[in-house]
Amino acid sequence: MGKSPGEVVSIRTGIYGGAFDPPHEGHLLVARTALVSGRLDRVIFLPCADTPNFGKVFAAAHDRVRMLELLTADEPRFSVSSLEAEAGRPVPTAESMAFFRREYPEDQLFFILGADKLEKLPRWTDARKLFSLCGFMALPRDGADMQKLTDGVRRAGADITFLPMREASVSSSRIQEALAAFRDPEHLPGPAAAYIAAEGLYHDHAMEERVQALMTEKRFRHTLGVRTQGVMLAQRHGLSLQKAALAALLHDSAKCLPFDEMKKLAHAGGITDENLLSSPEMLHGPAGAVLAKRDFGVTDPDVLNAIAYHTMGRACMSPLEMCIFVADATEPGRRDYPGLETIREKSLESLPAAVLLSLERTKEYVLSQNKPFNPLSEKTIVWLRASYNL
Ligand SMILES: [Fe+2]
Ligand SMILES: [Fe+2]
């Protein structure tokens, strides 16, 4: 039915509140369903504030806002409000909806919520006021008696409809569990996954502090830069973001240790190669891999190899090893050196070509100083040229 001339059609705005810790595909599906089936014109995501009582909120409010902004950037009908996130205290929904009522006086407002919240809805702070400010769109929950829930809420005075969708099987806590173990979770959209890996979210913070305690401030800054760059490259080349983040965090873990300590680690790890044992520069990677395994519980061989060979490479190096090698050479904080920009550009299209360029540049420099070029790196060069037709 078309609207008659002069008829004012109000905008239907959904406010989707929650922890979004982290935001995932299930949330986006709900918002899209609300647009289509709930005939909304727009959905505003409203991540809650951090509160000591909230329970399992692992990412700070500003990080959750940022992730939502990244995930909604391509959908003009989605936006993110930092109203509650910036409040620094729990904000009653009635207070938030009063804000949106003032902000959008002509709109029809709907608060989107899960069916699990319905039973307690009549007892929310200022529930009567809240019911006068907006309608509700509820997501069904498997096994819940929706009729009973609806009746209860309607009797209390709320205007409520249901979104016709199945309960999403995605759970934030399962995603959190995977991330805590440095695994790449399913149902976590790329931009959020990259943000989380680059920022080191959802991991035991103590681990990052222990890494920091092992090194100078400058080295730690470099480490975080390598993580940013490593995650970017991993995403670009379809590698595990979490493995890249872990390897980057630990790649220089032995770098600031005294040479004697590195040798002890090498001994504990069964490293006997005279060439590796000849200098801290050569040894800090392999010693770091021993440290990562012994003190940080890393068992993934690909991650350990990425740490071990991040300075010299090796024949048959894996894509993850190349990723960390290149990230180390090109992280944003690197002082400019001849060829840096070319290596950065190359790394976006080909990791092997970028590793080769970087090694060739090092070789040129070392030879110009009348120093011998490390044979392991020479082998890497030969292997890269042969294997990748470079
Ligand atoms: Fe290093
Ligand atoms: Fe490094």
Side-chain angles (χ1 to χ4, degrees):
M1 208 165 61
K3 64 174 179 169
S4 52
E7 185 189 345
V8 177
V9 177
S10 61
I11 293 172
R12 290 166 62 86
T13 298
I15 311 290
Y16 186 10
F20 303 107
D21 195 18
H24 54 63
E25 285 171 4
H27 298 128
L28 295 177
L29 179 67
V30 167
R32 282 191 205 107
T33 307
L35 282 182
V36 178
S37 305
R39 292 179 295 107
L40 294 181
D41 298 296
R42 60 178 166 193
V43 172
I44 301 172
F45 290 79
L46 180 66
C48 67
D50 294 332
T51 78
N53 301 328
F54 194 81
K56 291 174 26 164
V57 174
F58 288 106
H62 66 88
D63 285 321
R64 289 181 280 119
V65 169
R66 187 71 198 115
M67 286 188 270
L68 280 166
E69 285 172 347
L70 291 170
L71 294 191
T72 55
D74 293 336
E75 169 52 84
R77 291 172 296 175
F78 289 165
S79 61
V80 185
S81 166
S82 54
L83 174 75
E84 293 190 3
E86 283 173 4
R89 63 175 170 89
V91 182
T93 303
E95 190 181 320
S96 297
M97 294 312 286
F99 168 84
F100 289 112
R101 173 49 64 221
R102 285 194 300 277
E103 198 76 353
Y104 309 113
E106 307 296 334
D107 286 20
Q108 287 186 64
L109 297 178
F110 299 90
F111 190 76
I112 303 168
L113 78 176
D116 54 321
K117 308 252 172 44
L118 289 182
E119 209 174 334
K120 289 188 179 159
L121 180 57
R123 295 192 294 281
W124 282 14
T125 309
D126 292 332
R128 290 220 154 268
K129 180 182 163 198
L130 174 62
F131 297 163
S132 72
L133 290 165
C134 65
F136 292 85
M137 282 187 186
L139 312 165
R141 166 149 286 210
D142 288 348
D145 184 342
M146 303 310 277
Q147 193 60 49
K148 196 173 149 209
L149 285 172
T150 318
D151 289 348
V153 177
R154 284 202 179 118
R155 262 199 308 278
D159 168 16
I160 183 159
T161 49
F162 276 92
L163 288 174
M165 63 185 295
R166 293 212 48 165
E167 186 185 7
S169 58
V170 188
S171 99
S172 290
S173 54
R174 219 169 299 152
I175 291 175
Q176 289 164 359
E177 274 165 33
L179 291 168
F182 288 95
R183 283 185 281 111
D184 297 289
E186 287 185 329
H187 309 300
L188 184 62
Y195 183 86
I196 288 167
E199 297 293 320
L201 304 183
Y202 301 101
H203 298 145
D204 181 359
H205 205 68
M207 180 175 175
E208 212 168 290
E209 284 166 10
R210 280 170 60 211
V211 173
Q212 190 170 14
L214 283 168
M215 53 187 64
T216 61
E217 210 182 306
K218 189 174 162 210
R219 182 61 43 188
F220 189 61
R221 266 204 309 278
H222 159 73
T223 295
L224 297 184
V226 175
R227 184 167 69 183
T228 305
Q229 193 76 356
V231 168
M232 184 277 286
L233 290 171
Q235 191 182 29
R236 177 101 190 167
H237 296 285
L239 309 176
S240 162
L241 305 185
Q242 286 296 314
K243 285 187 190 188
L246 179 59
L249 183 63
L250 293 169
H251 85 283
D252 270 348
S253 55
K255 176 87 176 182
C256 297
L257 297 179
F259 193 24
D260 269 358
E261 288 292 316
M262 279 189 217
K263 283 184 183 162
K264 276 185 202 159
L265 281 167
H267 182 71
I271 296 166
T272 53
D273 187 321
E274 286 299 320
N275 186 33
L276 292 180
L277 291 163
S278 65
S279 75
E281 190 43 48
M282 295 287 290
L283 193 56
H284 81 275
V290 178
L291 191 72
K293 190 173 182 181
R294 192 192 70 184
D295 294 358
F296 291 91
V298 178
T299 52
D300 188 305
D302 204 13
V303 172
L304 293 172
N305 286 331
I307 297 168
Y309 301 106
H310 78 265
T311 46
M312 56 212 159
R314 61 167 181 151
C316 303
M317 64 197 296
S318 74
L320 183 72
E321 289 172 50
M322 294 185 205
C323 171
I324 298 304
F325 181 104
V326 175
D328 185 41
T330 60
E331 59 104 351
R334 273 272 176 211
R335 224 166 3 121
D336 199 17
Y337 58 79
L340 173 59
E341 273 319 309
T342 322
I343 300 169
R344 274 194 185 132
E345 276 165 34
K346 202 40 110 184
S347 70
L348 298 179
E349 66 188 64
S350 162
L351 288 174
V355 175
L356 181 62
L357 255 182
S358 175
L359 284 172
E360 284 173 339
R361 191 207 61 85
T362 308
K363 182 176 178 179
E364 219 173 279
Y365 174 77
V366 167
L367 295 182
S368 76
Q369 303 287 303
N370 290 321
K371 289 179 185 159
F373 186 57
N374 145 33
L376 279 170
S377 298
E378 183 60 48
K379 274 187 193 164
T380 314
I381 289 179
V382 171
W383 175 75
L384 284 167
R385 282 189 184 140
S387 308
Y388 293 92
N389 235 344
L390 296 167

